[in-house]
Amino acid sequence: MFQIAPDEVSFIGQGLHRPECVLTTRQGDLFVSDSRGGISTLRADGSQDFIKAKGVPEGFLPNGIALTPEREFLMANLSSDGGVWRMNQSGEATLLLDKIDGEPMPPVNFVGLDRDGRIWITYSTRLEPREGAMRKGWADGFIAVLDDSGARIVADGIGYTNEAIVDPSGQWLYVNETVARQTIRFPIGNNAELGPREVVAAYPPATFPDGFTFDSEGGVWCVSVASNRVIHVDRDGQQTIVLEDSDPERMQVVAEAFDNDTFRREHIDAGKERPLKNIASIAFGGDDLKTIYMGSLFGDGIATFRAPIAGAPPVQWEF
């Protein structure tokens, strides 16, 4: 399987603030969440701009984002106010969802749109502060869906729910469990009901899956915070570390802390010490869908390299 050295990775964009999530489109626009409270756009001609959300609470922190067919944005607010927000190209933002069955929801990690127009929303934990859930064996994260029938919780008991994306077949919802260190999936039934979970990949020590995407051959490409790993999981479940930017001794400390219940936020953030700055999302783009782009928690640009496999077109590819 293809492997790449950290020094073969290049960077685009500048002055970004916590570009945690990156979206690609056929026309070459890259949309990136930005902790200044909005969305940064990197265009194919090298230009760049920032749209700040208006009408949002103080401390608004976009984490996962999605693009709608109208080229508006859905944003998961990771600050204590939480909520899923919708913002137009002028920056006007409106609250889309902050309660389910009348119950206020905790901070939102991720929001994604599928080809049927359903919105999938993940909540990593019910604990506040959220860092309390970053420990082995803890699993109180959950997934909600918003569609024509309203908003409802469709899966619970997840080990720090991160990205949740419907696969290209439309039959499965794939989910990263960051603290459980695995990628799982659920069959999607009628009315967006989810069937029994299946484990797609259980990852080695110091691998904490955050974002992921699909390739055109049925594989999953997953990025890990802390270890700055890019892992390819093929259709048979075989894993290959395509890229890693970490210090082995530091990762040993991280793995031991996780196992002996001394794991803290500083261990998750260990990846910021390296050039990849704690990669947190991954997307295929470019004219041939063979250019990989990666967002991060601490970088000010987007990391990129070329892959030998084309990606599966993401839901917003033609938007």
Side-chain angles (χ1 to χ4, degrees), residues 10-13 16 19 21-33 39-51 65 67 71 73 89 281-287 291-295 301-305 316-317 319:
S10 57
F11 293 84
I12 61 172
L16 304 176
C21 186
V22 58
L23 303 176
T24 59
T25 61
R26 179 186 288 278
Q27 64 185 255
D29 292 336
L30 270 64
F31 298 108
V32 183
S33 57
I39 303 288
S40 286
T41 304
L42 281 62
R43 307 194 186 282
D45 63 5
S47 63
Q48 179 178 318
D49 58 45
F50 170 67
I51 305 173
I65 60 174
L67 184 69
R71 287 179 76 85
F73 302 99
Q89 292 283 336
S281 66
I282 184 169
F284 283 93
D287 293 340
T291 301
I292 282 182
Y293 299 96
M294 297 181 291
I302 298 298
T304 181
F305 65 87
Q316 78 282 347
W317 186 243
F319 294 172

Side-chain angles (χ1 to χ4, degrees), residues 197-238:
R197 71 184 71 189
E198 299 179 5
V199 175
V200 175
Y203 297 109
T207 303
F208 301 96
D210 194 320
F212 68 97
T213 192
F214 301 99
D215 66 34
S216 59
E217 299 180 0
V220 176
W221 293 62
C222 177
V223 296
S224 163
V225 290
S227 57
N228 285 320
R229 290 173 180 150
V230 177
I231 298 177
H232 174 260
V233 184
D234 68 18
R235 298 180 68 171
D236 298 321
Q238 181 68 37

Side-chain angles (χ1 to χ4, degrees), residues 54-77:
K54 305 170 187 176
V56 296
E58 185 176 356
F60 180 74
L61 180 59
N63 200 62
I65 60 174
L67 184 69
T68 73
E70 300 80 18
R71 287 179 76 85
E72 295 187 341
F73 302 99
L74 303 178
M75 300 181 289
N77 181 20

Side-chain angles (χ1 to χ4, degrees), residues 2-19:
F2 171 79
Q3 290 183 305
I4 185 170
D7 60 7
E8 296 178 82
V9 176
S10 57
F11 293 84
I12 61 172
Q14 57 184 352
L16 304 176
H17 292 245
R18 195 180 182 274

